């Protein structure tokens, strides 16, 4: 008797193959249903991305093969058992019954996520494993967002009784109560006798006694220690604190709790009590005294490298947070921000702004900046900052690597909204220029922007650019002036690559010829066509049409001249056809080749025909499209292939054609707008065959929708059939191979063949100025960014040009090193030669500013990225302007660096300050009197700061 398994399926049924289309429909419906009703606590399962892609290819979901014709010739293999072993660090199970994943796995590269129902169905069909379930959690304070927690919080539980250590896996969104329950159940302890401490860096920080807070809110980090203490005595005090001496457990009653937050520049006293302004600021706020909004004094590590001086404090890496540390070091070394956050900025915090974070981001950033500018420090663990970041920007939660520029964009915008001096934003209707001068319209746009956005960030970091759109049809010009917080500059295509393309004549005037040309590595098809046109001596009456050949047929035409060359892979086969310059108005004739396997006397009637060689392409005029014209065109393009000893005949000699001195035209496929018929449409079994009168070989006609036309070719009026492409499938017998040298159509060279003598990609110099030139260069909008023309009343692919109009005091420049294509994600390691001194942008600025406003900038910070996409490492260079010295900030390590060593290909985000800007902030804008006792220098403030736990 056969017994069903735990899922209720009989072994004989579980792995029965199903049709690919059926599997696809079932799984996609389960995925759609799960995503439509997703909620916190739902289970998703990790599946090896390699296996998942094999399955997608099997059922026809592989997006990279959307236009492929491979399925006509072979059916993808059904994948084997699910194998997730490549995702595991080892086979051991940690507490919580979860297998340990490799760290730094990337979704879409290493694994994919499928909902529980879809996973169970895949497991039913394919078996395998192991199962890797992960829960859906809800993150975010302002906007809730559902995420799958791939990496739960991993804690090292140290038992204070015997110093033993256990590993716990628990969600970072779990409550402190759930942590206690897990520990008590694991060790069979009574909850009333258990005390758990935040034991980060083997130092007691906080007694975890607020059971309703999440582990993320109490700032527990990945892989950190928590200390378990068990009280044997029956008397267990309800209030526990750390003694100021010895940092050990002290049984002392606590006074009513005071917040340790030192916000907005209030001077601190040595007795740990703050001045009155801070307490007044917190009244009525949403801040809890039990929630640590600042770093504990013990967060300062002793294992960093101490560098004497202020502003030289490192940041702990809390688990793939080097991107955050790099961005923070650049911001906290921005002179106007340092001046601002070391002063009293409490009156500017905007807690009512619905676009802000109730002032909490500005507070925690200000506290971190003060800590980093205090003297005598080694390194700081920015745990409070990361907790706030995860709360307000869940995209940065967890412990995956992120982009420092994306974090900078969020921080600058978030700080602006938290410090926006505009409490109630007025509604302002956008107006057109209506022919007004640029100066007048730009100033109006800027004042409208300032009426809604007014903060220290706008004061020092925001500029304005001019955007010009031109309709390609009616020439309508639209001009707008928009603010910017940073400039994202493209890297010009100066790195080159070699591409080999075989050029075919469309009129039979020459043999196929391969050309190897050098093109910009990040260029477009237009660059490739220009290089080939020069190399092949293209006539002014000709044009080149690029195509990719795959499976002995044209896989796709590369007709979008702005398509990136990164879409062309080295192992592909690219051809170019020389056609008349106005070939778009002509009928395109594609000539494919095939023969029977095991030659038959009538090969065109064999059911086992396959394509061979390279397709040929020519054109037919609109008034010459009879069967005889098609036959003549075919013979013309084949003419260069004739062997020297082959018997030839005049094109008009019908007797020679009757004798079969040429490949037979088995079928002609009419393809409307380039749509290709399937192989089944070409099959002779689905068509009626008629003998063609006179000397024209048998020809069968089929429309792309499968409608068959069967008549004498000489009598067909092709002008009554609306098509843009016509395909001729030719059958080659051994005799034709004796007449024509078919080798010219075989063995196409690859785009690039690597080998011992291969030429390496040549890297040329790029300057920051050339990046600016590329930024302001006029270019057409992408097909996904169509502009609605108000005059045409239609969406148009307009041309767009950007120009700098107003420059900020602090100019942030983002170098766009990361590129994406349909095949790959890539990082550009191009070295950009950027000036450290005297970056002069005068010629790029359209606005005529007063003589006191300089357009010359000095570099003061760099965010660096080393390594590849989705990983790598971030660090920062920053300059202490008062000391005129550069330093390298690599997480907790800070070291001096020479100015001539900071220019590297790792430079990712550059920070410039306008020459002539005073180091001290403008007291008129902040409302702080220079005579006020609160107005102190950086060194005075930093030396007087005392932080309490």
């Amino acid at each position: 008797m056969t017994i069903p398994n735990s899922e209720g399926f009989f072994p004989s049924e579980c792995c029965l193959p199903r049709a690919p289309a059926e599997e696809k429909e079932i799984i996609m419906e389960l995925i759609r249903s799960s995503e439509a009703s997703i909620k916190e606590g739902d289970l998703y399962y990790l599946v090896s991305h390699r296996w998942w892609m094999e399955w997608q290819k099997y059922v026809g979901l592989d997006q990279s093969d959307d236009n492929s014709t491979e399925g006509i010739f072979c059916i993808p293999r059904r994948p084997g058992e699910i194998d997730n072993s490549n995702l595991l660090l080892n086979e051991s199970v940690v507490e919580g019954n979860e297998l340990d994943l490799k760290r730094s796995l990337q979704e879409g590269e290493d694994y994919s996520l499928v909902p529980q129902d879809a996973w169970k169905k895949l497991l039913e069909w394919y078996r395998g494993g192991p199962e890797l379930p992960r829960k859906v959690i809800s993150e975010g304070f302002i906007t809730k967002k559902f995420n799958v927690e791939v990496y739960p919080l991993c804690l090292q539980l140290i038992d204070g009784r015997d110093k033993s250590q256990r590993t716990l896996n628990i969600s970072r969104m779990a409550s402190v109560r759930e942590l206690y329950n897990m520990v008590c159940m694991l060790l069979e302890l009574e909850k009333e006798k258990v005390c758990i401490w935040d034991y980060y860096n083997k130092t007691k920080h906080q007694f975890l006694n607020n059971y309703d807070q999440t582990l993320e809110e109490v700032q527990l980090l990945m892989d950190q220690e928590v200390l378990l203490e068990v009280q044997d005595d029956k008397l267990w005090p309800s209030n526990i604190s750390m003694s100021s001496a010895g940092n050990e457990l002290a049984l002392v009653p606590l006074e009513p709790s005071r917040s340790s937050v030192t916000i907005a520049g209030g001077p601190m006293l040595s007795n740990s009590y703050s001045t009155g302004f801070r307490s007044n600021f917190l009244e009525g706020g949403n801040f809890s005294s039990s929630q640590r909004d600042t770093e504990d004094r013990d967060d300062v590590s002793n294992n960093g490298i101490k560098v004497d001086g202020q502003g030289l404090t490192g940041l702990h890496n809390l688990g793939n947070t080097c991107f955050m540390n790099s961005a923070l070091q650049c911001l906290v070394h921005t002179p106007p921000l340092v001046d601002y956050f070391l002063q009293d900025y409490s009156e500017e915090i905007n807690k009512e702004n619905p676009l802000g974070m109730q002032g909490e981001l500005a507070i925690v950033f200000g506290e971190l900046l003060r800590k980093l500018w205090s003297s005598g420090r080694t390194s700081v663990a920015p745990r409070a900052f990361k907790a706030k970041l995860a709360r307000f920007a869940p995209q940065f939660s967890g412990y995956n690597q992120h982009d420092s520029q994306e974090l900078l964009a969020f921080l600058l915008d978030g700080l602006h909204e938290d410090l926006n001096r505009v409490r109630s934003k007025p509604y302002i209707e956008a107006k057109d220029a209506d022919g007004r001068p640029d100066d007048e319209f730009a100033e109006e746009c800027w004042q409208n922007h300032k009426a809604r956005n007014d903060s220290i960030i706008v004061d020092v970091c925001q500029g304005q650019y001019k955007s010009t759109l031109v309709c390609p049809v009616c020439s309508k010009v639209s001009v707008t002036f928009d603010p910017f917080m940073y400039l994202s500059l493209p890297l010009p295509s100066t790195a080159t690559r070699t591409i080999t393309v075989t050029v075919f004549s469309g009129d039979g005037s020459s043999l196929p010829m391969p050309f190897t040309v050098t093109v910009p590595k990040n260029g477009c098809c237009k660059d490739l066509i220009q290089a080939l046109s020069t190399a092949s001596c293209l006539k002014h009456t000709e044009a080149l049409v690029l195509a990719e050949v795959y499976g002995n047929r044209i896989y796709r035409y590369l007709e979008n001249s702005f398509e990136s060359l990164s879409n062309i892979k080295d192992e592909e086969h690219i051809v170019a056809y020389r056609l008349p310059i106005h070939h778009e108005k002509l009928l395109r004739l594609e000539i494919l080749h095939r023969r029977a396997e095991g030659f038959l006397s009538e090969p065109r009637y064999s059911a086992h025909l396959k394509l061979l060689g390279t397709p040929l392409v020519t054109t037919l005029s609109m008034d010459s499209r009879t069967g005889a014209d098609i036959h003549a065109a075919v013979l013309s393009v084949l003419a260069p292939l004739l062997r020297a000893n082959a018997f030839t005949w005049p094109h008009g000699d019908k007797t020679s054609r009757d004798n079969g001195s040429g490949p037979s035209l088995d079928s002609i496929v009419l393809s409307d707008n380039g749509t290709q018929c399937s192989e089944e449409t070409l099959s002779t079994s689905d068509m009626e065959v008629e003998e063609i009168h006179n000397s024209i070989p048998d020809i069968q006609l089929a429309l792309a929708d499968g409608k068959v036309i069967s008549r004498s070719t000489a009598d067909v009026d092709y002008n009554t059939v609306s098509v843009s492409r016509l395909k001729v499938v030719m059958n080659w017998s051994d005799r034709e191979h004796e007449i024509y040298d078919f080798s010219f159509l075989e063995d196409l060279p690859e785009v690039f063949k690597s080998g011992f003598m291969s030429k390496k990609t040549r890297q040329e110099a790029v300057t920051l100025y050339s990046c600016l030139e590329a930024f302001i260069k006029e270019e057409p909008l992408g097909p996904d960014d169509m502009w609605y023309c108000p005059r045409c009343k239609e969406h148009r692919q307009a041309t767009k040009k950007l120009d700098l109009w107003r420059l900020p005091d602090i100019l942030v420049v983002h170098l766009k090193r990361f590129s994406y294509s349909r095949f790959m994600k890539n990082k550009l390691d191009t070295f950009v030669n950027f000036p450290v001194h005297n970056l002069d942008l005068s010629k790029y600025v359209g606005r005529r500013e007063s003589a006191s406003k300089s357009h010359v900038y000095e570099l003061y910070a760099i965010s660096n990225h080393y390594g590849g996409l989705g990983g790598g490492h971030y660090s920062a260079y920053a300059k202490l302007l008062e000391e005129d010295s550069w330093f390298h900030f690599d997480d907790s390590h800070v070291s001096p660096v020479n100015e001539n060593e900071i220019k590297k290909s790792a430079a990712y985000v550059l920070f410039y300050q306008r020459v002539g800007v005073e180091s001290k902030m403008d007291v008129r804008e902040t409302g702080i009197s220079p005579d006020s006792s609160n107005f102190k220098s950086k060194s005075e403030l930093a030396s007087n700061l005392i932080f309490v736990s």
Side-chain angles (χ1 to χ4, degrees), residues 26 305 373 405 510 596 616 754 849 885:
I26 293 172
I305 297 177
W373 275 92
Q405 186 272 332
S510 60
L616 299 173
S754 59
E849 298 186 270
S885 300

Side-chain angles (χ1 to χ4, degrees), residues 438-480:
D438 282 348
D439 287 336
E440 178 184 337
F441 184 49
E443 185 62 26
E444 178 184 291
C445 292
W446 183 251
Q447 293 306 321
N448 290 343
H449 173 68
K450 289 274 289 184
R452 294 171 54 85
N453 303 275
D454 186 17
S455 70
I456 179 64
I457 304 299
V458 174
D459 294 342
V460 302
C461 296
Q462 285 196 358
Q464 188 181 34
Y465 65 80
K466 174 184 177 182
S467 175
T468 305
L469 291 169
V470 180
C471 177
V473 177
C474 69
S475 299
K476 164 70 177 176
V477 178
S478 173
V479 175
T480 58

Side-chain angles (χ1 to χ4, degrees), residues 200 346 678:
Y200 177 77
S346 59
S678 66

Side-chain angles (χ1 to χ4, degrees), residues 352-394:
E352 293 78 29
N353 187 354
L355 299 179
M357 278 137 270
Q358 300 177 348
E360 294 187 48
L361 183 65
I363 292 168
V364 75
F365 175 80
E367 286 304 311
L368 181 59
L369 182 145
R370 288 164 172 267
K371 193 176 294 293
L372 294 175
W373 275 92
S374 64
S375 60
R377 298 239 168 197
T378 51
S379 61
V380 172
R383 297 199 292 165
F385 181 85
K386 188 180 187 307
K388 292 293 183 189
L389 188 65
R391 185 183 184 205
F392 293 111

Side-chain angles (χ1 to χ4, degrees), residues 261-280:
V261 182
T262 58
I263 53 176
M268 298 297 298
L269 304 179
S270 59
N271 62 2
S272 300
Y273 288 88
S274 64
T275 54
F277 97 92
R278 181 172 56 83
S279 301
N280 295 335

Side-chain angles (χ1 to χ4, degrees), residues 494-498 518-519 521 752-764:
T494 56
T496 58
R497 65 182 286 201
T498 56
T518 300
V519 292
K521 183 178 179 181
F752 178 79
K753 186 70 172 178
S754 59
F756 179 74
M757 297 300 293
S758 296
K759 183 186 295 185
K760 293 184 177 180
T761 298
R762 185 162 56 96
Q763 190 71 55
E764 299 178 3

Side-chain angles (χ1 to χ4, degrees), residues 113-185:
L113 292 166
V114 296
Q116 183 177 23
D117 291 341
W119 166 261
K120 293 299 182 186
K121 187 60 67 175
L122 289 171
L123 200 62
E124 169 195 335
W125 294 337
Y126 292 94
R127 305 292 190 126
E131 294 193 351
L132 300 171
R134 292 296 186 268
K135 285 185 178 180
V136 172
I137 59 175
S138 175
E139 297 182 291
F141 176 74
I142 298 175
T143 302
K144 291 294 183 182
K145 180 181 179 182
F146 291 115
N147 283 325
V148 178
E149 189 177 30
V150 174
Y151 289 99
L153 192 61
C154 183
L155 299 175
Q156 305 302 319
L157 177 68
I158 298 178
D159 193 330
R161 297 170 296 178
D162 57 7
K163 305 302 180 185
S164 62
Q165 186 167 320
R166 291 176 173 83
T167 300
L168 303 179
N169 272 352
I170 185 170
S171 171
R172 64 178 180 272
M173 303 307 293
S175 65
V176 172
R177 179 179 289 103
E178 290 176 89
L179 176 62
Y180 271 86
N181 291 339
M182 174 183 283
V183 172
C184 292
M185 182 178 297

Side-chain angles (χ1 to χ4, degrees), residues 201-270:
N201 223 18
K202 298 291 181 68
T203 305
K204 286 182 179 178
H205 292 278
Q206 178 183 208
F207 169 41
L208 304 179
N209 62 348
N210 189 333
Y211 299 130
D212 294 326
Q213 283 188 302
T214 66
L215 302 184
E216 187 168 67
E217 287 174 332
V218 297
Q219 303 167 23
L220 295 187
L221 302 176
M222 180 70 80
D223 296 326
Q224 81 155 76
E225 299 88 355
V226 290
L227 177 64
L228 168 68
E229 292 186 337
V230 180
Q231 176 65 22
D232 294 329
D233 198 317
K234 294 182 179 179
L235 297 176
W236 185 249
S238 58
N239 292 316
I240 302 176
S241 176
M242 286 185 296
S243 121
S244 59
N247 197 31
E248 293 298 329
L249 189 64
L251 306 184
V252 293
L254 291 177
E255 294 180 301
S257 59
R258 294 184 175 89
S259 171
S260 61
V261 182
T262 58
I263 53 176
M268 298 297 298
L269 304 179
S270 59

